[in-house]
Amino acid sequence: MPPRILFFGYSEVGYDCLSLLLERGDHVVALITHEDNPHEKIWFKTPAVAAREKSIPVFTPARVNTPEWIERIAALQPDLILSVYYRAMISSKILALPRLGAFNLHGSLLPKYRGRAPINWAVLHGEPRIGMTLHRMVKSADAGAIVDQEGVDIGPRNTAEQAFRQVLPCARRVLARQIDALLAGTARETPQDEAQATYFGGRQPEDGRIQWTQTSTQIFNLIRAVTDPYPGAFTEVGGTRLMVWWGEPDSRAARGKRGAPGEVLSLSPLVVATADGALELTKTEWRGSAPPLRVGDRL
């Protein structure tokens, strides 16, 4: 009998990687995934679509690490666990079940950007290169030995979604290179350099609040890291939220003008002072009635 693969996954990365296994004819015994969040904009394919097309059982436990679910997973008798953009930590008891081990595909060039939303964080920090890493799963998030990774260069004006689209094919290529070795138990592994490791947590909508005391580049990177289809960057005027979907640093409209961080320097176009210059807000949206705004007001 071919090895039994239990696939944990979500997002379009999960869709692509599960599709690869199914196209190869690998023995996927089940998909464990998430219900779509009604409060989240689902702009990506999900692996449940690929699984149901091939009549693969799909499970969506709210909490996968309960005794009940550990027992159900053990009953599936997985030889190999693959996790691709699954959003919950998987307990050590589950990771210990498969004889061939448990492996994860993570959206960064580990050991940098362990944790949640690695592509958004990389864009926010102005990284010129991102990637996908296949690694062994251990108790600590994204800390296991690396099997393979592949990266791509991204531009300084790419949004997080554009960066995601650029790096997406890397996941399927990495898995395609290594799946036979994983199934044979012969994959080579290299320990991560802990001295180079960085970790970032999940991002919440409130994390999109613009801090005008930052530099124009820092604010611009925040905007492109969280712009549509993500929740977006924002500032507030008199308690009314102004969403900032795009902006341009060092606006020509602000030449010769100096202001305190957050000061409105121009209304048409809308230009706001930053720590080291100014930002022209080129695509905005008021959440509520737009309040009166004057040059000299502070955001």
Side-chain angles (χ1 to χ4, degrees):
M1 290 291 292
R4 298 167 61 85
I5 302 173
L6 178 58
F7 194 96
F8 288 75
Y10 194 63
S11 183
E12 195 156 345
V13 190
Y15 173 89
D16 278 5
C17 290
L18 180 57
S19 295
L20 169 67
L21 301 181
L22 298 177
E23 290 165 14
R24 284 169 39 97
D26 291 318
H27 188 24
V28 179
V29 295
L31 165 67
I32 296 181
T33 186
H34 307 285
E35 295 285 357
D36 292 339
N37 184 341
H39 303 294
E40 179 180 356
K41 184 175 182 178
I42 308 300
W43 50 274
F44 43 80
K45 298 176 184 176
T46 61
V49 174
R52 290 180 176 127
E53 286 178 351
K54 297 293 186 179
S55 301
I56 304 297
V58 176
F59 303 110
T60 57
R63 294 188 301 132
V64 76
N65 297 313
T66 63
E68 174 193 1
W69 271 102
I70 293 173
E71 184 177 346
R72 292 182 68 175
I73 290 169
L76 292 170
Q77 298 181 307
D79 296 304
L80 175 72
I81 283 178
L82 286 177
S83 173
V84 183
Y85 271 54
Y86 189 68
R87 292 180 171 182
M89 290 291 290
I90 301 172
S91 72
S92 297
K93 290 183 178 180
I94 294 174
L95 300 182
L97 291 173
R99 64 181 179 85
L100 295 172
F103 295 85
N104 178 56
L105 258 167
H106 180 71
S108 81
L109 292 171
L110 290 174
K112 295 182 70 175
Y113 295 100
R114 294 175 179 175
R116 295 287 303 276
I119 294 174
N120 302 81
W121 282 110
V123 171
L124 187 147
H125 286 104
E127 294 288 352
R129 188 168 178 82
I130 59 176
M132 292 282 179
T133 301
L134 178 66
H135 66 95
R136 181 177 289 274
M137 298 180 76
V138 295
K139 183 177 181 180
S140 298
D142 308 315
I146 293 173
V147 175
D148 198 353
Q149 61 184 189
E150 183 174 314
V152 294
D153 294 333
I154 59 172
R157 293 176 62 83
N158 283 151
T159 67
E161 183 191 8
Q162 289 168 338
F164 174 80
R165 293 295 173 195
Q166 287 180 250
V167 78
L168 177 60
C170 295
R172 184 179 171 112
R173 288 197 292 264
V174 166
L175 184 58
R177 285 199 298 263
Q178 300 297 334
I179 184 59
D180 287 329
L182 294 179
L183 293 173
T186 59
R188 296 182 178 181
E189 302 177 38
T190 303
Q192 294 189 41
D193 180 358
E194 289 297 322
Q196 300 298 317
T198 58
Y199 178 88
F200 295 89
R203 293 191 60 81
Q204 303 298 320
E206 178 63 25
D207 295 328
R209 184 182 294 275
I210 296 172
Q211 304 295 331
W212 294 105
T213 52
Q214 292 186 321
T215 67
S216 296
T217 297
Q218 287 175 315
I219 297 171
F220 176 67
N221 286 341
L222 168 66
I223 292 169
R224 67 190 184 96
V226 298
T227 195
D228 189 64
Y230 297 100
F234 66 92
T235 189
E236 289 185 344
V237 182
T240 302
R241 182 162 295 188
L242 177 65
M243 304 302 301
V244 180
W245 299 111
W246 198 251
E248 295 291 344
D250 301 321
S251 166
R252 287 180 295 175
R255 283 184 179 174
K257 299 179 182 178
R258 284 291 178 183
E263 182 178 345
V264 176
L265 301 180
S266 168
L267 293 176
S268 184
L270 180 55
V271 178
V272 182
T274 65
D276 66 343
L279 197 74
E280 180 181 339
L281 310 187
T282 58
K283 187 177 180 181
T284 60
E285 175 191 359
W286 289 102
R287 293 286 170 85
S289 298
L293 196 61
R294 297 166 297 182
V295 172
D297 285 348
R298 294 285 294 274
L299 306 185

